C-alpha cells in the first residue's frame, strides 16, 4: 500500500503529501446500532480505526494527525456514554503510552480538559511531557474542544499578555490558539456521511481540503484512509490564485 501511494504520487504530481491531517471520527453509534449493539461498542471498535490511521501516518511520514474525540457539545449525550468515553480515553492512554513512546510519537491534547477527572488530566500531562521531545508523528487529540472556544481563548490570552494595548493580528491569534505547534491542516476527513465541520478547527480550516465519506468510523481502515489520500492528490490547491499561476 505504501509503494502504491508513492507510485501514485509520481504519476499525479498535483499536490504535495499532506503535512497535517485532521479527522472527525463520526459514525460509531450508527455502526453499533446496525449490529444491534450498544453505542459504546462502536466507540470501542473505533479505537481500532484510530490505531490504523496512526500506523498509516507513520508509514507515510505524515508529521501531524489531529483527531476530534470529544466536542464541547458532546457533554449533552447520555451520562453513561460520556462516562464511557472518558474511561475509554483514560484506559487507552494507559495501554498505549509505551507504544507511543516506543514509536517516537509526540502526544498532545487540545481543548478545555479542566472539567475532566483529575486522574485523566494527570495522565494527559504525564504523557505529553514524556513524549514532548519525540520527533516522529505529532498526534493531537481534541477533547472538550470547540473552534469558537479556541478562538475566544486565544483572544483572551492575547489581551492578558498585552493588556489590550496592541491590535490583534492574524499571527498573534494563531500563536495563541491551542494548535499553535502545528501547521494548518491540509486535509480534513469526516467519516459517517455528514458534511459539516461541527465547530472543529474553524480558524485553521481556511484552506483545508475537505473529504467526506459515508464510511462509518469503525469501518475506516487502511484502504479507506488511502482512498482519502488519493482524492487529496487530485485536488488543485490554488489559495486564491489561478491555475496558470501555480
Ligand atoms: C462520534 O460518533 C464519535 C465520538 C463522539 C467519539 C470518538 C471516540 C473514539 C473513536 C474512540 C476513542 C478515541 C480516542 C482517541 C481514545 P457518534 O457517536 O456521533 O456516531 P453516530 O453519529 O453514528 O451516533
Amino acid at each position: 500500500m505504501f509503494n502504491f501511494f508513492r507510485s501514485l504520487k509520481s504519476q499525479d504530481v498535483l499536490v504535495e503529501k499532506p503535512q497535517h491531517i485532521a479527522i472527525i471520527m463520526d459514525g460509531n453509534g450508527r455502526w453499533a446500532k446496525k449490529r444491534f449493539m450498544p453505542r459504546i461498542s462502536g466507540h470501542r471498535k473505533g479505537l481500532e480505526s484510530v490505531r490504523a490511521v496512526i500506523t498509516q501516518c507513520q508509514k507515510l511520514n505524515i508529521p501531524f494527525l489531529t483527531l476530534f474525540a470529544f466536542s464541547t457539545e458532546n457533554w449533552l449525550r447520555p451520562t453513561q456514554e460520556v462516562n464511557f468515553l472518558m474511561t475509554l480515553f483514560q484506559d487507552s492512554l494507559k495501554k498505549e503510552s509505551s507504544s507511543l513512546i516506543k514509536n517516537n510519537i509526540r502526544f498532545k491534547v487540545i481543548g478545555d480538559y479542566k472539567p475532566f477527572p483529575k486522574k485523566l488530566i494527570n495522565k494527559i500531562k504525564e504523557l505529553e511531557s514524556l513524549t514532548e521531545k519525540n520527533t516522529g508523528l505529532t498526534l493531537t487529540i481534541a477533547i472538550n474542544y470547540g473552534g469558537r472556544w479556541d478562538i475566544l481563548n486565544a483572544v483572551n490570552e492575547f489581551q492578558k499578555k498585552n493588556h489590550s494595548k496592541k491590535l490583534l493580528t492574524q499571527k498573534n491569534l494563531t500563536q495563541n490558539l491551542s494548535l499553535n505547534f502545528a501547521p494548518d491542516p491540509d486535509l480534513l476527513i469526516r467519516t459517517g456521511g455528514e458534511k459539516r465541520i461541527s465547530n472543529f478547527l474553524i480558524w485553521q480550516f481556511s484552506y483545508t481540503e475537505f473529504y467526506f465519506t459515508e464510511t462509518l468510523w469503525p469501518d475506516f481502515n487502511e484502504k479507506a484512509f488511502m482512498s482519502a489520500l488519493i482524492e487529496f492528490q487530485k485536488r488543485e490547491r490554488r489559495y486564491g490564485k489561478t491555475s496558470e499561476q501555480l
Side-chain angles (χ1 to χ4, degrees):
M1 194 52 92
F2 183 31
N3 288 338
F4 170 57
F5 180 62
R6 286 202 356 196
S7 67
L8 186 116
K9 241 190 97 186
S10 54
Q11 283 162 22
D12 305 342
V13 195
L14 294 174
V15 282
E16 289 298 312
K17 180 174 71 180
Q19 295 298 297
H20 185 177
I21 299 179
I23 307 184
I24 300 179
M25 310 179 286
D26 199 10
N28 293 352
R30 277 165 286 159
W31 183 91
K33 199 172 167 199
K34 265 169 65 179
R35 289 162 179 79
F36 306 102
M37 287 153 84
R39 293 177 56 83
I40 56 173
S41 312
H43 297 315
R44 201 179 282 121
K45 182 79 171 106
L47 210 48
E48 288 177 26
S49 305
V50 171
R51 285 196 203 96
V53 163
I54 294 172
T55 307
Q56 279 308 102
C57 285
Q58 283 181 290
K59 279 194 199 166
L60 298 168
N61 279 324
I62 290 168
F64 295 93
L65 173 67
T66 301
L67 304 175
F68 203 7
F70 194 88
S71 74
T72 40
E73 291 75 29
N74 285 153
W75 292 108
L76 302 170
R77 293 187 173 211
T79 318
Q80 194 205 11
E81 185 173 340
V82 171
N83 290 343
F84 178 83
L85 281 169
M86 300 288 154
T87 310
L88 185 67
F89 190 50
Q90 195 169 311
D91 288 353
S92 38
L93 291 192
K94 245 193 252 161
K95 257 195 235 148
E96 307 290 338
S97 58
S98 57
S99 145
L100 294 177
I101 295 163
K102 198 176 78 203
N103 282 290
N104 195 23
I105 293 174
R106 179 164 68 136
F107 176 79
K108 298 282 237 181
V109 169
I110 56 167
D112 182 13
Y113 54 73
K114 282 192 294 293
F116 282 54
K118 191 94 190 98
K119 250 174 128 181
L120 176 56
I121 298 176
N122 289 343
K123 190 72 208 162
I124 290 171
K125 288 190 175 151
E126 185 195 26
L127 199 50
E128 281 188 330
S129 102
L130 277 172
T131 62
E132 74 185 338
K133 299 230 158 59
N134 286 356
T135 52
L137 172 71
T138 296
L139 168 67
T140 304
I141 309 291
I143 52 170
N144 200 20
Y145 180 85
R148 289 183 177 181
W149 165 83
D150 203 3
I151 293 171
L152 268 185
N153 196 49
V155 173
N156 289 331
E157 282 300 312
F158 176 80
Q159 282 180 344
K160 260 192 253 164
K161 286 178 215 155
N162 295 283
H163 311 288
S164 316
K165 280 183 199 134
K166 277 200 241 163
L167 274 183
L168 183 61
T169 63
Q170 290 197 18
K171 195 173 165 202
N172 297 145
L173 186 79
T174 307
Q175 283 166 344
N176 284 284
L177 287 170
S178 54
L179 205 54
N180 59 5
F181 50 86
D184 288 348
D186 299 297
L187 172 64
L188 164 73
I189 298 172
R190 181 175 187 145
T191 61
E194 312 290 359
K195 293 177 182 63
R196 51 178 172 260
I197 57 173
S198 300
N199 196 19
F200 195 19
L201 302 162
I202 54 178
W203 174 269
Q204 295 90 339
F205 283 158
S206 300
Y207 280 99
T208 300
E209 297 294 329
F210 290 176
Y211 177 83
F212 298 110
T213 171
E214 294 295 321
T215 305
L216 304 175
W217 179 249
D219 291 326
F220 194 79
N221 53 18
E222 183 186 316
K223 191 164 166 254
F225 182 71
M226 294 313 290
S227 299
L229 291 192
I230 289 165
E231 169 62 30
F232 175 79
Q233 289 283 309
K234 295 178 188 155
R235 305 278 175 94
E236 184 183 67
R237 306 188 74 195
R238 292 194 295 276
Y239 299 96
K241 294 182 182 168
T242 66
S243 288
E244 292 69 34
Q245 288 175 295
L246 296 176

